[in-house]
Amino acid sequence: MLKRLRGYRLLTGVRGTAAVNQPLLAEIICRLSEFAADHADRIAEVDINPLICAGDRIVAVDALVVRR
C-alpha cells in the first residue's frame, strides 16, 4: 500500500536523504490500526501530524485522539 501513495518517492530517499525503513513504517501503521480497532468503542478518530520518517527513525511529533 505504501507504494501506491502519491508521495511514495519521498520514502525511497531523495536529495541525499536516507530511504525510510518501509517495513518499520508499515508495522507502525498496522499497530496504530490495531489500536484504533481495539478501542473503536472509545475512539472516534486519531490524527498524527506530522509523522517524521528518516531512515530507521520514525517519530510522531503531534497526535490528537478524539474520544467518543
Side-chain angles (χ1 to χ4, degrees):
M1 288 174 51
L2 291 174
K3 290 181 181 179
R4 292 176 30 200
L5 292 172
R6 187 172 27 176
Y8 173 74
R9 188 173 67 93
L10 298 173
L11 299 177
T12 63
V14 294
R15 298 184 190 154
T17 62
V20 173
N21 181 335
Q22 293 178 39
L24 178 58
L25 178 57
E27 180 181 343
I28 290 169
I29 293 168
C30 287
R31 286 182 179 206
L32 178 61
S33 175
E34 290 169 358
F35 171 80
D38 289 347
H39 300 283
D41 58 326
R42 292 180 271 173
I43 295 176
E45 60 186 83
V46 176
D47 179 30
I48 297 176
N49 188 15
L51 183 66
I52 297 176
C53 305
D56 291 330
R57 188 166 185 247
I58 301 173
V59 178
V61 176
D62 191 23
L64 173 67
V65 177
V66 178
R67 297 173 57 183
R68 291 194 184 274

